[in-house]
Amino acid sequence: MNTESNQELATLTDNENQNSLEFNGNPLFITDPYDIELSIKETENSGYQLVTEIILKNDSYFVSPHSKVAYKGRFSSDLQKNKNLEMINKIIETPRTVEEIDPHPFVNGPVNWVRENTTYRQPLKLHTDSDFEVSGLIKFTIEPRCSLEKIGYTISYKNGKMSVKILKGCQIVDF
């Protein structure tokens, strides 16, 4: 048996474990389980889309907005009630999830799990040429951490240009 190889393996294992610890047998994440990016894309006929890109890390996952069962932590993105901008049609998910049967006691049935990096495109309909700002909120439960994530954002329309920015901390408003 080669002692040097065993020491290298142990060192590698120790380094890998620095990013995940356990508490009561459940993983604790030192790094965020995902990254999220928002942007506005202009489409044909002067339309717009809110584009949400979710990059999953550490084997994280969440429930797709296309799951037939309305799970409490299912991904959603909504705008504050306003007269200037509305979300129209269904949200477009790429790649599209596939329904599976999950025997876990909290699910115990059909669910569409998002287990890979995913892009959502939400068509938007503009109802004004005037400048405005409207708040939005993305909500979903990230697993296996089992935490309800709330990401606030603001869509601005100024001088004929639409943009979006993610809000930080206490700026987030639940509606």
Side-chain angles (χ1 to χ4, degrees):
M1 189 181 244
N2 185 340
T3 308
E4 190 172 312
S5 295
N6 287 343
Q7 287 175 336
E8 287 176 15
L9 181 59
T11 303
L12 179 61
T13 304
D14 288 343
N15 288 341
E16 287 174 344
N17 287 336
Q18 288 177 1
N19 284 335
S20 66
L21 302 172
E22 287 189 5
F23 178 74
N24 290 336
N26 296 315
L28 293 176
F29 296 101
I30 294 172
T31 58
D32 286 330
Y34 65 92
D35 287 328
I36 189 165
E37 296 177 10
L38 300 179
S39 61
I40 297 288
K41 298 290 184 206
E42 201 162 336
T43 62
E44 296 175 5
N45 302 325
S46 301
Y48 294 92
Q49 288 182 334
L50 172 64
V51 180
T52 305
E53 295 182 63
I54 300 181
I55 296 92
L56 294 170
K57 301 189 265 186
N58 300 319
D59 296 323
S60 297
Y61 55 99
F62 60 94
V63 177
S64 165
H66 295 292
S67 281
K68 291 177 187 168
V69 177
Y71 295 103
K72 186 175 181 181
R74 180 172 61 175
F75 180 94
S76 66
S77 181
D78 295 303
L79 291 177
Q80 189 174 35
K81 189 174 175 119
N82 75 96
K83 61 182 179 185
N84 300 316
L85 187 67
E86 73 174 305
M87 294 179 162
I88 58 169
N89 304 327
K90 287 188 174 184
I91 194 166
I92 301 160
E93 179 182 68
T94 309
R96 182 68 186 250
T97 55
V98 176
E99 185 176 84
E100 60 185 87
I101 302 299
D102 190 333
H104 188 282
F106 291 154
V107 178
N108 196 22
V111 63
N112 291 54
W113 288 117
V114 177
R115 299 182 188 275
E116 60 187 311
N117 299 342
T118 300
T119 301
Y120 292 100
R121 296 180 187 282
Q122 176 63 61
L124 302 171
K125 185 172 184 180
L126 184 63
H127 294 291
T128 184
D129 290 330
S130 301
D131 293 353
F132 68 89
E133 281 192 349
V134 62
S135 296
L137 185 65
I138 294 170
K139 290 195 284 192
F140 62 98
T141 297
I142 192 74
E143 301 290 358
R145 186 167 74 178
C146 193
S147 66
L148 180 62
E149 305 294 304
K150 294 181 179 182
I151 299 105
Y153 60 92
T154 299
I155 295 178
S156 300
Y157 188 76
K158 187 168 183 159
N159 299 324
K161 299 287 183 191
M162 193 176 297
S163 62
V164 63
K165 71 175 181 177
I166 294 177
L167 302 176
K168 304 289 183 196
C170 295
Q171 295 177 310
I172 298 172
V173 177
D174 204 351
F175 48 87

Short mmCIF file of all heavy atoms in Angstrom, two decimals, residues 2-54:
data_model
loop_
_atom_site.label_atom_id
_atom_site.label_comp_id
_atom_site.label_asym_id
_atom_site.label_seq_id
_atom_site.Cartn_x
_atom_site.Cartn_y
_atom_site.Cartn_z
N ASN A 2 0.58 2.20 -0.84
CA ASN A 2 1.38 3.40 -0.98
C ASN A 2 0.87 4.47 -0.01
O ASN A 2 -0.20 5.02 -0.18
CB ASN A 2 1.27 3.89 -2.44
CG ASN A 2 2.17 5.07 -2.73
OD1 ASN A 2 2.59 5.77 -1.81
ND2 ASN A 2 2.44 5.28 -4.00
N THR A 3 1.67 4.79 1.00
CA THR A 3 1.28 5.76 2.03
C THR A 3 1.11 7.15 1.46
O THR A 3 0.20 7.88 1.82
CB THR A 3 2.34 5.79 3.17
OG1 THR A 3 2.56 4.46 3.62
CG2 THR A 3 1.88 6.66 4.32
N GLU A 4 1.99 7.52 0.52
CA GLU A 4 1.91 8.86 -0.08
C GLU A 4 0.58 9.07 -0.80
O GLU A 4 -0.05 10.11 -0.69
CB GLU A 4 3.09 9.05 -1.04
CG GLU A 4 3.25 10.47 -1.52
CD GLU A 4 4.53 10.64 -2.31
OE1 GLU A 4 5.59 10.20 -1.86
OE2 GLU A 4 4.42 11.22 -3.41
N SER A 5 0.11 8.06 -1.53
CA SER A 5 -1.17 8.17 -2.24
C SER A 5 -2.32 8.33 -1.27
O SER A 5 -3.25 9.09 -1.50
CB SER A 5 -1.40 6.94 -3.12
OG SER A 5 -0.44 6.89 -4.14
N ASN A 6 -2.27 7.59 -0.14
CA ASN A 6 -3.32 7.71 0.87
C ASN A 6 -3.34 9.10 1.48
O ASN A 6 -4.40 9.65 1.73
CB ASN A 6 -3.14 6.66 1.97
CG ASN A 6 -3.49 5.27 1.49
OD1 ASN A 6 -4.15 5.11 0.47
ND2 ASN A 6 -3.04 4.27 2.23
N GLN A 7 -2.17 9.70 1.70
CA GLN A 7 -2.11 11.05 2.26
C GLN A 7 -2.68 12.06 1.28
O GLN A 7 -3.41 12.97 1.66
CB GLN A 7 -0.67 11.42 2.64
CG GLN A 7 -0.19 10.70 3.87
CD GLN A 7 1.27 10.99 4.16
OE1 GLN A 7 2.03 11.35 3.25
NE2 GLN A 7 1.66 10.82 5.42
N GLU A 8 -2.36 11.91 -0.02
CA GLU A 8 -2.90 12.81 -1.03
C GLU A 8 -4.42 12.70 -1.09
O GLU A 8 -5.13 13.70 -1.17
CB GLU A 8 -2.31 12.49 -2.41
CG GLU A 8 -0.86 12.91 -2.56
CD GLU A 8 -0.28 12.49 -3.89
OE1 GLU A 8 -1.05 12.12 -4.80
OE2 GLU A 8 0.95 12.52 -4.00
N LEU A 9 -4.93 11.47 -1.02
CA LEU A 9 -6.37 11.25 -1.06
C LEU A 9 -7.04 11.89 0.15
O LEU A 9 -8.05 12.56 0.02
CB LEU A 9 -6.67 9.75 -1.11
CG LEU A 9 -8.15 9.37 -1.18
CD1 LEU A 9 -8.80 9.96 -2.41
CD2 LEU A 9 -8.30 7.87 -1.16
N ALA A 10 -6.44 11.72 1.31
CA ALA A 10 -7.00 12.31 2.53
C ALA A 10 -7.01 13.83 2.44
O ALA A 10 -7.97 14.48 2.83
CB ALA A 10 -6.22 11.85 3.76
N THR A 11 -5.94 14.40 1.91
CA THR A 11 -5.87 15.86 1.76
C THR A 11 -6.96 16.34 0.81
O THR A 11 -7.66 17.31 1.08
CB THR A 11 -4.48 16.28 1.22
OG1 THR A 11 -3.50 15.79 2.11
CG2 THR A 11 -4.38 17.78 1.11
N LEU A 12 -7.13 15.62 -0.31
CA LEU A 12 -8.16 15.98 -1.28
C LEU A 12 -9.54 15.91 -0.63
O LEU A 12 -10.34 16.82 -0.76
CB LEU A 12 -8.09 15.05 -2.50
CG LEU A 12 -9.12 15.29 -3.60
CD1 LEU A 12 -8.97 16.68 -4.18
CD2 LEU A 12 -8.99 14.24 -4.67
N THR A 13 -9.80 14.86 0.12
CA THR A 13 -11.09 14.70 0.78
C THR A 13 -11.31 15.81 1.80
O THR A 13 -12.38 16.38 1.88
CB THR A 13 -11.18 13.32 1.46
OG1 THR A 13 -10.95 12.33 0.47
CG2 THR A 13 -12.55 13.11 2.09
N ASP A 14 -10.29 16.15 2.59
CA ASP A 14 -10.41 17.23 3.56
C ASP A 14 -10.72 18.55 2.88
O ASP A 14 -11.56 19.31 3.33
CB ASP A 14 -9.12 17.39 4.39
CG ASP A 14 -8.94 16.25 5.39
OD1 ASP A 14 -9.93 15.54 5.65
OD2 ASP A 14 -7.82 16.08 5.88
N ASN A 15 -10.05 18.83 1.77
CA ASN A 15 -10.29 20.08 1.03
C ASN A 15 -11.71 20.12 0.47
O ASN A 15 -12.37 21.15 0.49
CB ASN A 15 -9.28 20.27 -0.10
CG ASN A 15 -7.90 20.61 0.42
OD1 ASN A 15 -7.74 21.05 1.56
ND2 ASN A 15 -6.89 20.38 -0.40
N GLU A 16 -12.19 18.99 -0.06
CA GLU A 16 -13.54 18.96 -0.62
C GLU A 16 -14.58 19.19 0.47
O GLU A 16 -15.59 19.83 0.24
CB GLU A 16 -13.80 17.61 -1.30
CG GLU A 16 -13.06 17.45 -2.60
CD GLU A 16 -13.22 16.06 -3.19
OE1 GLU A 16 -13.64 15.14 -2.46
OE2 GLU A 16 -12.92 15.90 -4.37
N ASN A 17 -14.34 18.70 1.67
CA ASN A 17 -15.31 18.84 2.76
C ASN A 17 -15.34 20.24 3.35
O ASN A 17 -16.21 20.54 4.15
CB ASN A 17 -15.03 17.81 3.86
CG ASN A 17 -15.42 16.41 3.45
OD1 ASN A 17 -16.27 16.26 2.58
ND2 ASN A 17 -14.80 15.42 4.04
N GLN A 18 -14.42 21.10 2.98
CA GLN A 18 -14.43 22.46 3.51
C GLN A 18 -15.65 23.25 3.02
O GLN A 18 -16.05 24.20 3.67
CB GLN A 18 -13.15 23.21 3.12
CG GLN A 18 -11.93 22.72 3.89
CD GLN A 18 -10.67 23.42 3.44
OE1 GLN A 18 -10.70 24.29 2.58
NE2 GLN A 18 -9.56 23.04 4.03
N ASN A 19 -16.24 22.87 1.90
CA ASN A 19 -17.39 23.60 1.37
C ASN A 19 -18.73 23.06 1.86
O ASN A 19 -19.75 23.63 1.57
CB ASN A 19 -17.36 23.59 -0.16
CG ASN A 19 -16.35 24.55 -0.71
OD1 ASN A 19 -16.00 25.52 -0.05
ND2 ASN A 19 -15.84 24.27 -1.89
N SER A 20 -18.73 21.94 2.57
CA SER A 20 -19.99 21.44 3.10
C SER A 20 -19.77 20.84 4.47
O SER A 20 -18.87 20.06 4.69
CB SER A 20 -20.61 20.41 2.15
OG SER A 20 -19.82 19.26 2.09
N LEU A 21 -20.58 21.26 5.41
CA LEU A 21 -20.57 20.74 6.77
C LEU A 21 -21.93 20.14 7.04
O LEU A 21 -22.87 20.35 6.29
CB LEU A 21 -20.29 21.89 7.75
CG LEU A 21 -18.98 22.65 7.55
CD1 LEU A 21 -18.95 23.85 8.49
CD2 LEU A 21 -17.80 21.75 7.82
N GLU A 22 -22.03 19.40 8.13
CA GLU A 22 -23.31 18.80 8.47
C GLU A 22 -23.79 19.28 9.83
O GLU A 22 -23.00 19.59 10.71
CB GLU A 22 -23.20 17.28 8.47
CG GLU A 22 -23.09 16.69 7.10
CD GLU A 22 -23.20 15.17 7.10
OE1 GLU A 22 -23.46 14.58 8.18
OE2 GLU A 22 -23.04 14.58 6.03
N PHE A 23 -25.10 19.34 9.98
CA PHE A 23 -25.75 19.62 11.25
C PHE A 23 -26.92 18.67 11.35
O PHE A 23 -27.81 18.67 10.48
CB PHE A 23 -26.23 21.08 11.31
CG PHE A 23 -26.96 21.41 12.58
CD1 PHE A 23 -26.26 21.55 13.76
CD2 PHE A 23 -28.33 21.55 12.59
CE1 PHE A 23 -26.92 21.85 14.94
CE2 PHE A 23 -29.00 21.84 13.76
CZ PHE A 23 -28.29 21.99 14.95
N ASN A 24 -26.93 17.83 12.35
CA ASN A 24 -27.97 16.80 12.51
C ASN A 24 -28.12 15.95 11.26
O ASN A 24 -29.23 15.60 10.86
CB ASN A 24 -29.31 17.42 12.89
CG ASN A 24 -29.32 17.97 14.29
OD1 ASN A 24 -28.54 17.54 15.14
ND2 ASN A 24 -30.20 18.91 14.55
N GLY A 25 -27.02 15.65 10.60
CA GLY A 25 -27.04 14.79 9.42
C GLY A 25 -27.47 15.47 8.14
O GLY A 25 -27.53 14.84 7.09
N ASN A 26 -27.76 16.78 8.18
CA ASN A 26 -28.16 17.52 6.98
C ASN A 26 -27.03 18.43 6.54
O ASN A 26 -26.34 19.00 7.38
CB ASN A 26 -29.42 18.37 7.26
CG ASN A 26 -30.61 17.51 7.57
OD1 ASN A 26 -30.86 16.52 6.90
ND2 ASN A 26 -31.32 17.85 8.62
N PRO A 27 -26.85 18.61 5.23
CA PRO A 27 -25.75 19.46 4.77
C PRO A 27 -26.00 20.93 5.06
O PRO A 27 -27.12 21.42 4.96
CB PRO A 27 -25.73 19.21 3.25
CG PRO A 27 -27.09 18.71 2.91
CD PRO A 27 -27.62 18.03 4.14
N LEU A 28 -24.94 21.61 5.47
CA LEU A 28 -24.97 23.06 5.63
C LEU A 28 -24.13 23.62 4.48
O LEU A 28 -23.04 23.13 4.21
CB LEU A 28 -24.34 23.48 6.96
CG LEU A 28 -25.08 23.10 8.22
CD1 LEU A 28 -24.27 23.50 9.45
CD2 LEU A 28 -26.44 23.78 8.27
N PHE A 29 -24.62 24.63 3.82
CA PHE A 29 -23.92 25.19 2.68
C PHE A 29 -23.18 26.45 3.08
O PHE A 29 -23.78 27.38 3.63
CB PHE A 29 -24.89 25.51 1.53
CG PHE A 29 -25.55 24.28 0.98
CD1 PHE A 29 -26.85 23.96 1.34
CD2 PHE A 29 -24.87 23.44 0.13
CE1 PHE A 29 -27.45 22.83 0.85
CE2 PHE A 29 -25.48 22.31 -0.36
CZ PHE A 29 -26.77 22.00 -0.01
N ILE A 30 -21.89 26.48 2.81
CA ILE A 30 -21.10 27.67 3.06
C ILE A 30 -21.25 28.61 1.87
O ILE A 30 -21.34 29.81 2.01
CB ILE A 30 -19.63 27.30 3.31
CG1 ILE A 30 -19.53 26.51 4.61
CG2 ILE A 30 -18.75 28.54 3.36
CD1 ILE A 30 -18.20 25.91 4.90
N THR A 31 -21.32 28.03 0.69
CA THR A 31 -21.55 28.83 -0.51
C THR A 31 -23.03 28.76 -0.87
O THR A 31 -23.73 27.84 -0.47
CB THR A 31 -20.70 28.31 -1.71
OG1 THR A 31 -21.05 26.95 -1.94
CG2 THR A 31 -19.22 28.42 -1.42
N ASP A 32 -23.50 29.73 -1.62
CA ASP A 32 -24.90 29.73 -2.04
C ASP A 32 -25.18 28.52 -2.92
O ASP A 32 -24.34 28.12 -3.73
CB ASP A 32 -25.23 31.00 -2.81
CG ASP A 32 -25.34 32.22 -1.91
OD1 ASP A 32 -25.73 32.04 -0.75
OD2 ASP A 32 -25.06 33.32 -2.39
N PRO A 33 -26.38 27.93 -2.80
CA PRO A 33 -26.71 26.77 -3.61
C PRO A 33 -27.08 27.11 -5.06
O PRO A 33 -27.33 26.22 -5.86
CB PRO A 33 -27.90 26.15 -2.88
CG PRO A 33 -28.50 27.28 -2.12
CD PRO A 33 -27.38 28.22 -1.79
N TYR A 34 -27.11 28.42 -5.39
CA TYR A 34 -27.44 28.82 -6.76
C TYR A 34 -26.98 30.26 -6.99
O TYR A 34 -26.74 31.01 -6.04
CB TYR A 34 -28.95 28.73 -7.02
CG TYR A 34 -29.75 29.68 -6.18
CD1 TYR A 34 -30.07 30.96 -6.64
CD2 TYR A 34 -30.16 29.34 -4.89
CE1 TYR A 34 -30.78 31.85 -5.86
CE2 TYR A 34 -30.87 30.22 -4.11
CZ TYR A 34 -31.17 31.48 -4.59
OH TYR A 34 -31.87 32.36 -3.81
N ASP A 35 -26.88 30.62 -8.25
CA ASP A 35 -26.72 32.01 -8.67
C ASP A 35 -27.93 32.34 -9.52
O ASP A 35 -28.50 31.46 -10.18
CB ASP A 35 -25.46 32.22 -9.51
CG ASP A 35 -24.18 32.15 -8.69
OD1 ASP A 35 -24.22 32.55 -7.51
OD2 ASP A 35 -23.15 31.70 -9.23
N ILE A 36 -28.32 33.61 -9.53
CA ILE A 36 -29.46 34.03 -10.34
C ILE A 36 -29.11 35.32 -11.05
O ILE A 36 -28.47 36.20 -10.48
CB ILE A 36 -30.74 34.18 -9.46
CG1 ILE A 36 -31.98 34.40 -10.33
CG2 ILE A 36 -30.56 35.26 -8.42
CD1 ILE A 36 -33.29 34.21 -9.58
N GLU A 37 -29.50 35.40 -12.31
CA GLU A 37 -29.28 36.60 -13.11
C GLU A 37 -30.59 36.96 -13.80
O GLU A 37 -31.30 36.09 -14.30
CB GLU A 37 -28.21 36.35 -14.17
CG GLU A 37 -26.85 36.07 -13.58
CD GLU A 37 -25.80 35.75 -14.65
OE1 GLU A 37 -26.08 35.94 -15.86
OE2 GLU A 37 -24.72 35.30 -14.27
N LEU A 38 -30.90 38.25 -13.82
CA LEU A 38 -32.10 38.75 -14.49
C LEU A 38 -31.71 39.71 -15.59
O LEU A 38 -30.76 40.48 -15.43
CB LEU A 38 -33.01 39.49 -13.51
CG LEU A 38 -33.55 38.71 -12.31
CD1 LEU A 38 -34.42 39.61 -11.44
CD2 LEU A 38 -34.34 37.52 -12.77
N SER A 39 -32.46 39.68 -16.67
CA SER A 39 -32.24 40.64 -17.76
C SER A 39 -33.57 40.84 -18.49
O SER A 39 -34.51 40.07 -18.33
CB SER A 39 -31.16 40.15 -18.72
OG SER A 39 -31.52 38.91 -19.31
N ILE A 40 -33.61 41.89 -19.28
CA ILE A 40 -34.76 42.17 -20.14
C ILE A 40 -34.30 42.02 -21.59
O ILE A 40 -33.26 42.56 -21.97
CB ILE A 40 -35.29 43.61 -19.93
CG1 ILE A 40 -35.80 43.81 -18.50
CG2 ILE A 40 -36.35 43.96 -20.97
CD1 ILE A 40 -37.10 43.11 -18.17
N LYS A 41 -35.06 41.25 -22.35
CA LYS A 41 -34.76 41.07 -23.77
C LYS A 41 -35.91 41.65 -24.58
O LYS A 41 -37.08 41.41 -24.28
CB LYS A 41 -34.61 39.59 -24.12
CG LYS A 41 -33.47 38.90 -23.41
CD LYS A 41 -32.13 39.35 -23.90
CE LYS A 41 -31.05 38.55 -23.21
NZ LYS A 41 -29.79 39.19 -23.11
N GLU A 42 -35.58 42.42 -25.59
CA GLU A 42 -36.59 42.94 -26.50
C GLU A 42 -36.89 41.87 -27.54
O GLU A 42 -35.99 41.19 -28.03
CB GLU A 42 -36.09 44.22 -27.18
CG GLU A 42 -37.21 45.07 -27.72
CD GLU A 42 -36.79 46.50 -28.00
OE1 GLU A 42 -35.82 46.98 -27.41
OE2 GLU A 42 -37.48 47.11 -28.84
N THR A 43 -38.17 41.69 -27.85
CA THR A 43 -38.58 40.67 -28.82
C THR A 43 -39.18 41.35 -30.05
O THR A 43 -39.26 42.57 -30.11
CB THR A 43 -39.62 39.71 -28.19
OG1 THR A 43 -40.78 40.45 -27.82
CG2 THR A 43 -39.05 39.00 -26.97
N GLU A 44 -39.62 40.53 -30.98
CA GLU A 44 -40.25 41.07 -32.19
C GLU A 44 -41.48 41.90 -31.82
O GLU A 44 -42.08 41.70 -30.78
CB GLU A 44 -40.66 39.93 -33.11
CG GLU A 44 -39.50 39.13 -33.64
CD GLU A 44 -39.97 37.94 -34.45
OE1 GLU A 44 -41.18 37.78 -34.69
OE2 GLU A 44 -39.09 37.16 -34.84
N ASN A 45 -41.86 42.79 -32.69
CA ASN A 45 -43.05 43.63 -32.52
C ASN A 45 -43.00 44.46 -31.23
O ASN A 45 -44.01 44.64 -30.56
CB ASN A 45 -44.32 42.78 -32.54
CG ASN A 45 -44.45 42.00 -33.82
OD1 ASN A 45 -44.07 42.47 -34.89
ND2 ASN A 45 -44.97 40.79 -33.72
N SER A 46 -41.82 44.94 -30.88
CA SER A 46 -41.62 45.80 -29.70
C SER A 46 -42.07 45.16 -28.38
O SER A 46 -42.49 45.85 -27.46
CB SER A 46 -42.33 47.14 -29.89
OG SER A 46 -41.83 47.78 -31.04
N GLY A 47 -42.01 43.84 -28.31
CA GLY A 47 -42.34 43.15 -27.07
C GLY A 47 -41.11 42.99 -26.19
O GLY A 47 -39.98 43.31 -26.59
N TYR A 48 -41.33 42.49 -24.97
CA TYR A 48 -40.24 42.29 -24.02
C TYR A 48 -40.41 40.95 -23.31
O TYR A 48 -41.51 40.41 -23.24
CB TYR A 48 -40.25 43.40 -22.96
CG TYR A 48 -39.95 44.76 -23.51
CD1 TYR A 48 -40.98 45.60 -23.93
CD2 TYR A 48 -38.64 45.22 -23.62
CE1 TYR A 48 -40.71 46.86 -24.43
CE2 TYR A 48 -38.36 46.47 -24.12
CZ TYR A 48 -39.40 47.29 -24.53
OH TYR A 48 -39.12 48.54 -25.04
N GLN A 49 -39.29 40.46 -22.79
CA GLN A 49 -39.29 39.27 -21.95
C GLN A 49 -38.41 39.53 -20.74
O GLN A 49 -37.33 40.11 -20.87
CB GLN A 49 -38.72 38.05 -22.67
CG GLN A 49 -39.60 37.47 -23.74
CD GLN A 49 -38.98 36.23 -24.37
OE1 GLN A 49 -37.77 36.05 -24.38
NE2 GLN A 49 -39.82 35.37 -24.91
N LEU A 50 -38.88 39.08 -19.57
CA LEU A 50 -38.04 39.03 -18.39
C LEU A 50 -37.33 37.69 -18.43
O LEU A 50 -37.97 36.64 -18.46
CB LEU A 50 -38.88 39.15 -17.11
CG LEU A 50 -38.13 38.92 -15.80
CD1 LEU A 50 -37.06 39.99 -15.59
CD2 LEU A 50 -39.11 38.90 -14.64
N VAL A 51 -36.00 37.71 -18.48
CA VAL A 51 -35.20 36.49 -18.56
C VAL A 51 -34.55 36.23 -17.20
O VAL A 51 -33.85 37.10 -16.67
CB VAL A 51 -34.13 36.59 -19.66
CG1 VAL A 51 -33.30 35.31 -19.73
CG2 VAL A 51 -34.78 36.89 -21.01
N THR A 52 -34.82 35.06 -16.65
CA THR A 52 -34.26 34.65 -15.36
C THR A 52 -33.40 33.42 -15.59
O THR A 52 -33.89 32.40 -16.07
CB THR A 52 -35.39 34.30 -14.36
OG1 THR A 52 -36.28 35.40 -14.25
CG2 THR A 52 -34.82 33.94 -13.00
N GLU A 53 -32.11 33.55 -15.27
CA GLU A 53 -31.19 32.42 -15.41
C GLU A 53 -30.81 31.95 -14.01
O GLU A 53 -30.37 32.75 -13.20
CB GLU A 53 -29.95 32.82 -16.18
CG GLU A 53 -30.26 33.17 -17.62
CD GLU A 53 -29.02 33.53 -18.41
OE1 GLU A 53 -28.16 32.64 -18.57
OE2 GLU A 53 -28.91 34.68 -18.84
N ILE A 54 -31.01 30.65 -13.75
CA ILE A 54 -30.65 30.07 -12.46
C ILE A 54 -29.55 29.04 -12.69
O ILE A 54 -29.74 28.08 -13.45
CB ILE A 54 -31.86 29.45 -11.76
CG1 ILE A 54 -32.93 30.52 -11.54
CG2 ILE A 54 -31.45 28.80 -10.44
CD1 ILE A 54 -34.16 30.05 -10.85
#
